[in-house]
Amino acid sequence: MKALVLHGKGDVRAESVPDPTPQDAHSALVKVERAAICGSDLHLYHGDVPAAPGLVVGHEFVGEVMEVGSEVTNIRTGDHVMVSGVIGCGQCKRCLNGEVVRCERKQTRVFGMAPELPGGQAEAVAVPGAEHAIRRIPEGVSVEQAVLLTDILPTGYFGARNADIEPGETVVVIGAGPVGLLALLSAQLFGPARVLVVDRIPERLALAAELGGIPVSAEHADSVIAEMTNEQGADRIIEAVGSDATILKAIEWVRAAGTVSVVGVNTSPAVPFPMIHALMKDLTFRVGLVPVPELWSALIPLVACGRLQPERVFTHRMGLSEGAEAYRRFNAREDGILKVLLDPSR
Amino acid sequence: MKALVLHGKGDVRAESVPDPTPQDAHSALVKVERAAICGSDLHLYHGDVPAAPGLVVGHEFVGEVMEVGSEVTNIRTGDHVMVSGVIGCGQCKRCLNGEVVRCERKQTRVFGMAPELPGGQAEAVAVPGAEHAIRRIPEGVSVEQAVLLTDILPTGYFGARNADIEPGETVVVIGAGPVGLLALLSAQLFGPARVLVVDRIPERLALAAELGGIPVSAEHADSVIAEMTNEQGADRIIEAVGSDATILKAIEWVRAAGTVSVVGVNTSPAVPFPMIHALMKDLTFRVGLVPVPELWSALIPLVACGRLQPERVFTHRMGLSEGAEAYRRFNAREDGILKVLLDPSR
Amino acid sequence: MKALVLHGKGDVRAESVPDPTPQDAHSALVKVERAAICGSDLHLYHGDVPAAPGLVVGHEFVGEVMEVGSEVTNIRTGDHVMVSGVIGCGQCKRCLNGEVVRCERKQTRVFGMAPELPGGQAEAVAVPGAEHAIRRIPEGVSVEQAVLLTDILPTGYFGARNADIEPGETVVVIGAGPVGLLALLSAQLFGPARVLVVDRIPERLALAAELGGIPVSAEHADSVIAEMTNEQGADRIIEAVGSDATILKAIEWVRAAGTVSVVGVNTSPAVPFPMIHALMKDLTFRVGLVPVPELWSALIPLVACGRLQPERVFTHRMGLSEGAEAYRRFNAREDGILKVLLDPSR
Amino acid sequence: MKALVLHGKGDVRAESVPDPTPQDAHSALVKVERAAICGSDLHLYHGDVPAAPGLVVGHEFVGEVMEVGSEVTNIRTGDHVMVSGVIGCGQCKRCLNGEVVRCERKQTRVFGMAPELPGGQAEAVAVPGAEHAIRRIPEGVSVEQAVLLTDILPTGYFGARNADIEPGETVVVIGAGPVGLLALLSAQLFGPARVLVVDRIPERLALAAELGGIPVSAEHADSVIAEMTNEQGADRIIEAVGSDATILKAIEWVRAAGTVSVVGVNTSPAVPFPMIHALMKDLTFRVGLVPVPELWSALIPLVACGRLQPERVFTHRMGLSEGAEAYRRFNAREDGILKVLLDPSR
């Protein structure tokens, strides 16, 4: 089949690879209908995360079930399904509850990050532990929405949920990339009076405004936040960039007894944490990986009922065969690109 | 001054009464700019709640500060303010926290319900404990919105907050009167996937739909709720009618481990509570009086930022001198009437 | 085998019945080592709950695994285990989370309440859905403690958890029977300053005092609670009797914005609920069936580490062959009886 | 009067200073009966926190009211009272709620840390904002317990409350100094199955065991915690040392989706925070200053009812005139010293 294969730093190619084969009676074979490129795929593309050459990448994908193991009872051949981008052992108490990122047997794995679990930017994928990792796409949820439900929408929602938002509060989202914008949409579910969105790129700020946020240019953010909060700081901050600098700004901008929720990926072993300021503030600080299937029970009905319309983040739709170009543009942030949808049939 | 005076069952008249006089250094005198008639005023009008003839009625009003006691530091003469419809001692721990309905000294009182605290359907009102009962109307909040903030919007919000709503859930509001509609708006702050609104009156259901609810005719409610929840029952119910029958329906319609929040006023000493069904369901059941000032810290920014637009419930605007007719129509539910705003200058 | 069989009102006999047979690959056969008689068994004994003659009764039992179905992976032959007194379908989301009393497929069943699921006051029991219903008795938990973990200790804990107790609060437990005493022990886990226990029977009050409660004779309870709470009412009430009268007292004794948690079984379809008082109080009222396996994750370590010592409620230890006499005495509350442990080998 | 005065690094002397004078009608004059030395006083003693020479130190003290301003209604001359070690403006919403460390007007101050607010290791203290800072010592609370209620017991409790402990969980307290031991006592209010206490000093570990903790020698803590938690990590960690190393250990030892609560004072602007490990763990991390008066409503009844017995941490009782020696020994951790009580009459 055709798939996007990582050959080294900055080198992703669409090429032929062997067809995937389900491993056991708990697995399923899914023919991919749409996949997406995620910001975390760029960690592989940049070589920040080491990967053996030849890896089939991608962890956001939906498709049609072609084969299903004898022990899998929740889906059938022919079903259109979404697949959690991250999976666990599927049997411990946490996995049964959908908290696969906290698998007690420490078998948390992401599609397309290691050779044992080839990714979904491909024509087909073998999915282990299908009973827990796969969900039928329900009525009211489009294919594009379903792709977002596999990872990035739960991530944005996780950031908002971790922020302890209460009705009437003022929230700041740092970063208007796709995760930040989905955090903005998710934050609105918790009844804030205002959600400020801070970024440097005017088009991203314009989109934030369109989605209900109050755009704040990064260069003026210090004074705007101070003024809008009467020098008290914002009630809650969702950090969706992941740099040391924005994490420190989050701690600076939050009010006393407020919450900083980090969903931007920062892989540093030693961010210089201002303990003395956190101490004076009475800070709650949260950071973690998204437990995708656990969050589906809240997110699927919200999307199906039209309360969440995340698909607005897709700015580019390309064929899987254009994968190398898609990665190049996404990485370069060319052309107002936010999120790319890939079609394996093209 | 001119005021609406209750003379007996069904007999409210606009007439002249002595001007009010502030009692002490903690009081203020407010010239009323707008007042509203509340469903609970009808309890007096019906004679359900006993009242001495000659009572000046009304507990929803806003106005301009004319005099202010020497100990009151949060407002000044000339300020446009809203006044909590319910007040307490103003000094115990709960009153300091805005929970005036739970005053530890048991001094909870409502304007216009007893001769000691004449009401606000009048040209002026003397407000005791002004430091806690009065708040300046902030920028972004209109006079009509401010009237709703004195009692009925907090009531609808209190019903929604007490319902334990979590994102993605299905909520049922029973009753599309003004409290029910404001409960609908408030419920949406907690991120439900769907809010069903049950009523018998088509125009009220139409308004519920306009405000984002899913209208359900009372006669079909049993089957509609069963079907939409896959026979599991709704996650949360907000009862905004107050009859025995609707309270029992609320317990019937809620799912296992769900919540029933009652804001409809039911003054019965013995509602026949189906303990055996509640036991099988693992029910949380809540009912109470709204702690108005406590809720302002959430509600004022929501209204000021445009996230809550409660003024849609006003269907009729009349002069205070038309008070008798206003009560008659409101009581008769004539002419699509939902909520009446009174102007003391007319 | 030998078992206790219900033949009609007040008629339980120890007699021979056919040996049980596991139904399928998800079942297990357990040889009973100890069983207990529960207050809810008396509902059958009194004929309040209808039962076909010939029912093998009892839902509190522990024992040794004799056979285990091929699909059951969490236990093995020879294991000493406890069995949840209540089970569900074992496959829906709620059953997977241990909330078997809220089974989405409505398959909640209690051992020894219907012919399809014979009870545990017997030499052996066939347990369906063993993967979810059975847990190995861990180190540090005695056989007697394990019997209490199958139903009544979780019930007492459920009552306490539902009461929203916060550190420093004053709690009232109504009823010093076995459920009330275990609710007392459980309430202490939430850090109250004081737990008052109300009963009429001096020996039960003495035991409550021994277990850390403040004994209050029922006849003086009104004035004692008023005085100890400065006329404000108790923060939280746990009702462990189940009569209409004690439920009404619970609502009377609780403070404004407090919680009443009912664990006493009241099977009335129409308890006269004082809605007007509840309204004035801002009441949270909870009642439900205990989700036994869900609570094991908290309770098992507490017992194993010695933080909960529930076995003190066993006042009588008898042979299974003395079952008729055991029921008679338990029903008559003779001889200071609180809770009877039955040994099938005698 | 006599007072302890800081003259420079390592130089505290008992000497004569002018008598204090209450500033205004909201102040009170308190004759000190007992004071204590706090670990945070050592920051001044070490010169870590800059201080002008001549400062009267100490923020933990109780005494008798000698004079009281005309606006102070909650206490009278002759009352025996405790004083919050930290105060705010006393008028903003947060101060009214006892959250003086989060004063909206940024007037949070600690006694004995700056010349404007002389401390309590003295014969008398002038207390501004007495209505909020002072509480009468209630029946059932001893003088020594009251001293602990002014700062260090609330601090230990704050650490425990911030840790999100649920019944049955495993908690680790790092550090068995006075704050750690009071965090241990406080943690037990939340129903954990086990509280492990880690320290290097055998006598401190012995005391931790006496108070209900499981002592763990720091050198074996890695393996003990791993083994006792089945390699999952502890549910909750309370860090009561404040060094970079112990904060990093806290993050290492906590389980996935657990909580680290820091109450040890770390004044670093840049602790090297392992963001990548926190990300993998789904960490909640909290650090803050204790809101003393807010916590009194929970802690005073717990002490008065005998549920908390914090006085065990006092190991040394000395006269105020021995202050220099007291500081020297406390700083040197000589002689098993944990906490020193000072008597101004000696």
Side-chain angles (χ1 to χ4, degrees):
Chain A
M1 66 167 183
K2 187 172 55 185
L4 296 194
V5 177
L6 178 73
H7 284 279
K9 200 170 159 177
D11 183 4
V12 163
R13 303 176 208 160
E15 58 189 29
S16 275
V17 298
D19 287 352
T21 316
Q23 291 173 305
D24 57 27
H26 292 278
S27 299
L29 181 67
V30 173
K31 179 185 160 196
V32 178
E33 293 178 320
R34 289 290 185 285
I37 306 179
C38 179
S40 54
D41 291 330
L42 294 182
H43 290 290
L44 290 165
Y45 190 74
H46 294 160
D48 296 347
V49 174
L55 182 67
V56 174
V57 288
H59 55 269
E60 297 183 300
F61 60 99
V62 305
E64 183 180 347
V65 176
M66 305 308 285
E67 293 176 37
V68 65
S70 60
E71 295 292 323
V72 181
T73 60
N74 61 324
I75 51 166
R76 296 181 191 184
T77 301
D79 281 348
H80 292 267
V81 298
M82 54 199 186
V83 181
S84 173
V86 56
I87 61 174
C89 76
Q91 295 174 313
C92 71
K93 201 188 157 199
R94 289 173 175 247
C95 282
L96 287 178
N97 193 34
E99 300 176 75
V100 295
V101 292
R102 301 163 200 151
C103 172
E104 291 178 359
R105 299 181 189 169
K106 307 195 176 174
Q107 294 183 19
T108 302
R109 288 157 295 161
V110 178
F111 284 94
M113 291 280 176
E116 302 80 51
L117 194 65
Q121 292 164 5
E123 286 183 294
V125 182
V127 178
E131 195 128 9
H132 300 288
I134 292 185
R135 198 69 64 90
R136 196 179 295 127
I137 299 175
E139 208 181 331
V141 176
S142 72
V143 167
E144 296 198 357
Q145 290 172 329
V147 172
L148 296 170
L149 278 162
T150 63
D151 177 26
I152 193 170
L153 175 58
T155 296
Y157 177 78
F158 182 66
R161 192 182 70 166
N162 270 356
D164 302 323
I165 302 164
E166 296 192 10
E169 292 193 332
T170 294
V171 176
V172 173
V173 175
I174 306 179
V179 170
L181 292 171
L182 294 172
L184 161 64
L185 290 181
S186 299
Q188 290 169 342
L189 296 170
F190 296 89
R194 302 179 291 194
V195 185
L196 283 61
V197 181
V198 178
D199 205 306
R200 298 183 182 287
I201 305 177
E203 301 86 56
R204 292 188 166 193
L205 287 173
L207 186 48
E210 217 177 279
L211 298 176
I214 298 174
V216 178
S217 169
E219 60 191 318
H220 304 122
D222 288 330
S223 58
V224 169
I225 293 169
E227 192 185 335
M228 291 186 78
T229 65
N230 216 3
E231 312 288 335
Q232 299 296 313
D235 297 297
R236 316 293 168 181
I237 314 274
I238 304 170
E239 199 282 343
V241 173
S243 74
D244 288 15
T246 47
I247 290 171
L248 298 183
K249 275 295 173 192
I251 296 172
E252 183 183 327
W253 288 339
V254 76
R255 69 155 159 89
T259 305
V260 168
S261 166
V262 175
V263 279
V265 173
N266 180 306
T267 56
S268 165
V271 171
F273 196 93
M275 193 65 65
I276 181 63
H277 295 133
L279 171 75
M280 300 308 290
K281 281 219 167 162
D282 193 9
L283 177 70
T284 294
F285 182 86
R286 287 204 184 86
V287 56
L289 281 176
V290 58
V292 175
E294 182 198 352
L295 302 184
W296 279 346
S297 60
L299 289 171
I300 290 175
L302 284 163
V303 173
C305 295
R307 296 287 301 247
L308 270 181
Q309 300 181 322
E311 63 278 14
R312 186 67 185 77
V313 299
F314 282 122
T315 50
H316 290 66
R317 289 163 180 82
M318 302 173 74
L320 184 67
S321 54
E322 303 170 277
E325 173 65 6
Y327 265 82
R328 194 193 59 74
R329 281 203 218 168
F330 183 56
N331 182 49
R333 299 194 180 181
E334 268 183 27
D335 186 27
I337 203 165
L338 262 181
K339 184 100 186 148
V340 187
L341 189 72
L342 296 173
D343 180 348
S345 73
R346 293 201 283 138
Chain B
M1 68 167 181
K2 187 173 55 185
L4 296 194
V5 177
L6 178 73
H7 284 277
K9 200 169 158 177
D11 184 3
V12 162
R13 302 177 209 159
E15 59 191 27
S16 274
V17 298
D19 286 351
T21 317
Q23 294 172 303
D24 57 25
H26 292 278
S27 299
L29 180 68
V30 173
K31 178 186 161 197
V32 178
E33 293 178 319
R34 289 290 185 286
I37 306 178
C38 179
S40 54
D41 291 330
L42 295 182
H43 291 289
L44 290 164
Y45 191 74
H46 293 159
D48 296 348
V49 174
L55 182 67
V56 175
V57 288
H59 56 269
E60 299 182 300
F61 61 98
V62 305
E64 182 180 346
V65 177
M66 306 307 285
E67 293 176 35
V68 64
S70 60
E71 295 292 323
V72 181
T73 60
N74 61 323
I75 50 167
R76 298 181 189 184
T77 301
D79 281 349
H80 293 267
V81 297
M82 54 198 187
V83 180
S84 173
V86 57
I87 60 175
C89 76
Q91 294 175 312
C92 71
K93 201 189 155 196
R94 290 175 174 244
C95 282
L96 287 178
N97 193 33
E99 301 175 75
V100 294
V101 291
R102 301 163 200 151
C103 172
E104 290 178 0
R105 299 180 188 170
K106 308 198 176 172
Q107 293 184 21
T108 302
R109 289 157 293 161
V110 178
F111 283 94
M113 291 279 176
E116 301 81 50
L117 194 64
Q121 292 164 5
E123 286 182 294
V125 183
V127 179
E131 194 130 7
H132 300 289
I134 292 185
R135 198 70 63 91
R136 196 179 295 126
I137 300 175
E139 207 182 330
V141 176
S142 72
V143 167
E144 296 198 356
Q145 290 172 330
V147 172
L148 296 170
L149 277 162
T150 64
D151 177 25
I152 194 171
L153 175 58
T155 296
Y157 177 77
F158 181 64
R161 192 183 68 167
N162 270 355
D164 302 323
I165 302 164
E166 296 193 10
E169 293 193 331
T170 294
V171 176
V172 173
V173 175
I174 306 179
V179 171
L181 292 172
L182 294 173
L184 161 64
L185 289 181
S186 299
Q188 291 168 344
L189 296 169
F190 297 89
R194 300 179 292 194
V195 184
L196 284 61
V197 181
V198 178
D199 204 307
R200 298 186 181 288
I201 304 177
E203 302 84 55
R204 291 187 167 194
L205 288 172
L207 185 49
E210 217 176 279
L211 297 176
I214 298 174
V216 177
S217 169
E219 59 191 318
H220 304 124
D222 287 331
S223 58
V224 169
I225 293 169
E227 192 184 334
M228 289 186 79
T229 65
N230 216 0
E231 312 287 334
Q232 300 295 314
D235 297 297
R236 316 291 168 183
I237 314 274
I238 303 170
E239 200 281 344
V241 173
S243 74
D244 288 15
T246 47
I247 290 171
L248 298 183
K249 276 294 173 193
I251 296 172
E252 184 183 326
W253 289 339
V254 75
R255 70 155 158 90
T259 303
V260 168
S261 166
V262 176
V263 280
V265 174
N266 180 306
T267 57
S268 166
V271 171
F273 196 92
M275 193 64 65
I276 180 64
H277 295 133
L279 172 74
M280 301 306 292
K281 280 218 166 160
D282 192 10
L283 177 70
T284 293
F285 182 86
R286 286 205 184 86
V287 55
L289 282 176
V290 58
V292 175
E294 182 197 352
L295 303 184
W296 280 345
S297 60
L299 288 171
I300 290 175
L302 284 163
V303 173
C305 295
R307 295 287 301 248
L308 270 181
Q309 300 179 324
E311 63 278 13
R312 186 66 186 79
V313 298
F314 282 121
T315 50
H316 291 64
R317 288 162 181 82
M318 303 174 74
L320 184 68
S321 53
E322 304 169 279
E325 172 65 6
Y327 265 83
R328 194 194 60 72
R329 281 202 218 168
F330 183 55
N331 182 48
R333 297 195 181 181
E334 268 182 29
D335 186 27
I337 203 164
L338 262 180
K339 184 100 187 147
V340 187
L341 189 72
L342 297 173
D343 180 348
S345 73
R346 291 201 285 137
Chain C
M1 66 165 182
K2 188 172 54 183
L4 296 193
V5 177
L6 179 72
H7 283 279
K9 201 169 159 178
D11 184 2
V12 162
R13 302 177 209 160
E15 59 190 29
S16 275
V17 299
D19 286 351
T21 317
Q23 293 173 304
D24 57 25
H26 292 278
S27 300
L29 181 67
V30 172
K31 179 185 160 199
V32 178
E33 292 177 320
R34 288 291 185 284
I37 307 179
C38 180
S40 55
D41 291 330
L42 295 181
H43 290 290
L44 290 165
Y45 191 74
H46 293 160
D48 296 347
V49 175
L55 183 66
V56 174
V57 289
H59 56 268
E60 297 183 300
F61 60 98
V62 306
E64 183 181 346
V65 177
M66 306 307 285
E67 293 176 35
V68 65
S70 59
E71 295 292 323
V72 181
T73 60
N74 61 324
I75 51 166
R76 297 181 190 185
T77 301
D79 281 348
H80 292 267
V81 298
M82 54 198 187
V83 180
S84 173
V86 56
I87 61 173
C89 77
Q91 295 175 311
C92 71
K93 200 188 158 199
R94 289 173 174 247
C95 282
L96 287 178
N97 193 33
E99 300 175 76
V100 294
V101 292
R102 303 164 199 150
C103 172
E104 291 179 358
R105 298 180 190 171
K106 307 195 176 174
Q107 293 184 20
T108 302
R109 287 158 296 160
V110 178
F111 283 94
M113 291 279 176
E116 302 80 52
L117 193 64
Q121 292 165 5
E123 287 184 292
V125 183
V127 178
E131 194 130 9
H132 300 289
I134 293 185
R135 199 69 63 92
R136 197 180 293 128
I137 300 174
E139 207 181 332
V141 175
S142 72
V143 167
E144 297 198 356
Q145 291 172 328
V147 172
L148 297 169
L149 277 163
T150 63
D151 176 26
I152 193 171
L153 175 58
T155 296
Y157 177 78
F158 182 66
R161 192 183 68 168
N162 270 356
D164 302 324
I165 302 163
E166 296 192 10
E169 292 193 330
T170 294
V171 176
V172 173
V173 175
I174 307 179
V179 170
L181 292 171
L182 294 173
L184 160 63
L185 289 181
S186 300
Q188 291 168 343
L189 296 169
F190 297 89
R194 301 179 292 193
V195 185
L196 283 61
V197 181
V198 178
D199 205 307
R200 298 184 182 287
I201 305 176
E203 302 85 56
R204 291 188 167 195
L205 287 172
L207 186 49
E210 217 176 277
L211 297 177
I214 298 173
V216 178
S217 169
E219 59 191 319
H220 303 124
D222 288 331
S223 58
V224 169
I225 293 168
E227 193 185 333
M228 291 186 78
T229 65
N230 215 1
E231 313 286 335
Q232 299 295 315
D235 297 298
R236 316 291 167 183
I237 313 274
I238 304 170
E239 201 281 343
V241 173
S243 73
D244 288 16
T246 46
I247 290 170
L248 298 183
K249 276 294 172 192
I251 296 172
E252 184 184 326
W253 288 340
V254 77
R255 70 157 159 87
T259 303
V260 168
S261 165
V262 176
V263 281
V265 174
N266 180 306
T267 57
S268 165
V271 171
F273 196 93
M275 193 63 67
I276 180 63
H277 296 133
L279 171 74
M280 300 307 291
K281 281 219 165 157
D282 191 9
L283 177 70
T284 294
F285 182 87
R286 286 206 184 85
V287 56
L289 282 177
V290 58
V292 176
E294 181 197 353
L295 303 183
W296 279 345
S297 60
L299 289 170
I300 290 175
L302 284 163
V303 173
C305 295
R307 297 287 301 246
L308 270 180
Q309 300 179 323
E311 63 279 14
R312 186 66 188 78
V313 299
F314 282 121
T315 51
H316 289 65
R317 290 163 180 81
M318 303 173 74
L320 184 67
S321 53
E322 302 170 278
E325 173 64 5
Y327 265 82
R328 194 193 60 73
R329 281 204 218 168
F330 184 56
N331 183 48
R333 296 195 181 181
E334 269 183 26
D335 186 28
I337 203 164
L338 263 180
K339 184 100 187 149
V340 187
L341 189 72
L342 297 173
D343 180 348
S345 73
R346 291 201 286 137
Chain D
M1 67 166 182
K2 188 173 55 186
L4 297 193
V5 177
L6 179 72
H7 285 278
K9 200 170 160 178
D11 183 3
V12 163
R13 303 176 208 160
E15 58 190 28
S16 276
V17 299
D19 285 353
T21 317
Q23 293 173 305
D24 57 26
H26 293 278
S27 299
L29 180 68
V30 173
K31 179 185 159 198
V32 178
E33 292 177 320
R34 288 292 184 286
I37 307 178
C38 179
S40 54
D41 292 329
L42 294 182
H43 291 290
L44 290 164
Y45 191 74
H46 293 160
D48 296 347
V49 174
L55 182 67
V56 175
V57 288
H59 56 269
E60 298 183 300
F61 60 98
V62 305
E64 183 181 347
V65 177
M66 305 309 284
E67 293 177 37
V68 63
S70 59
E71 295 292 324
V72 180
T73 61
N74 62 324
I75 51 167
R76 297 181 190 184
T77 301
D79 281 349
H80 292 267
V81 298
M82 54 199 187
V83 180
S84 172
V86 57
I87 60 174
C89 76
Q91 296 175 312
C92 71
K93 200 188 156 198
R94 290 175 172 245
C95 283
L96 287 177
N97 192 34
E99 301 175 75
V100 295
V101 291
R102 300 162 202 153
C103 172
E104 292 178 357
R105 299 179 190 170
K106 308 199 175 171
Q107 294 183 20
T108 303
R109 287 157 296 162
V110 179
F111 283 94
M113 291 280 177
E116 302 81 50
L117 194 64
Q121 292 164 5
E123 285 183 292
V125 182
V127 177
E131 196 130 7
H132 300 289
I134 292 185
R135 199 71 63 91
R136 197 180 294 127
I137 300 175
E139 210 181 328
V141 176
S142 72
V143 167
E144 295 199 356
Q145 291 173 329
V147 172
L148 297 169
L149 277 162
T150 62
D151 177 26
I152 193 170
L153 175 57
T155 297
Y157 177 77
F158 181 65
R161 192 183 70 168
N162 270 356
D164 303 324
I165 302 165
E166 297 192 10
E169 292 192 332
T170 294
V171 176
V172 173
V173 175
I174 306 180
V179 170
L181 292 171
L182 294 172
L184 161 63
L185 289 181
S186 299
Q188 290 168 344
L189 296 169
F190 297 89
R194 302 178 291 194
V195 184
L196 284 61
V197 181
V198 178
D199 205 306
R200 299 184 181 288
I201 304 176
E203 302 85 55
R204 293 188 166 193
L205 288 172
L207 186 48
E210 219 177 278
L211 297 176
I214 299 173
V216 178
S217 169
E219 60 191 316
H220 304 124
D222 288 330
S223 58
V224 169
I225 293 169
E227 192 184 335
M228 291 187 77
T229 65
N230 216 1
E231 313 286 334
Q232 300 295 313
D235 297 299
R236 315 292 167 183
I237 313 274
I238 304 171
E239 200 282 344
V241 173
S243 74
D244 288 14
T246 48
I247 290 171
L248 299 183
K249 275 294 173 192
I251 296 172
E252 183 184 326
W253 289 339
V254 75
R255 71 155 158 88
T259 304
V260 168
S261 166
V262 175
V263 280
V265 173
N266 180 307
T267 57
S268 165
V271 171
F273 197 92
M275 193 63 66
I276 180 65
H277 295 133
L279 171 75
M280 300 307 290
K281 280 217 168 162
D282 192 10
L283 177 70
T284 294
F285 182 86
R286 286 204 185 86
V287 56
L289 281 177
V290 58
V292 176
E294 181 197 353
L295 302 184
W296 279 345
S297 60
L299 289 171
I300 290 174
L302 284 162
V303 173
C305 295
R307 297 286 302 247
L308 270 180
Q309 300 180 322
E311 64 278 13
R312 186 67 185 79
V313 299
F314 282 121
T315 51
H316 290 66
R317 289 161 180 82
M318 302 172 75
L320 185 67
S321 54
E322 302 169 279
E325 172 65 5
Y327 266 82
R328 194 195 59 74
R329 281 204 220 166
F330 183 55
N331 182 48
R333 297 194 180 183
E334 268 183 29
D335 187 26
I337 204 165
L338 262 181
K339 183 101 187 150
V340 187
L341 189 72
L342 298 173
D343 181 349
S345 73
R346 293 201 284 137

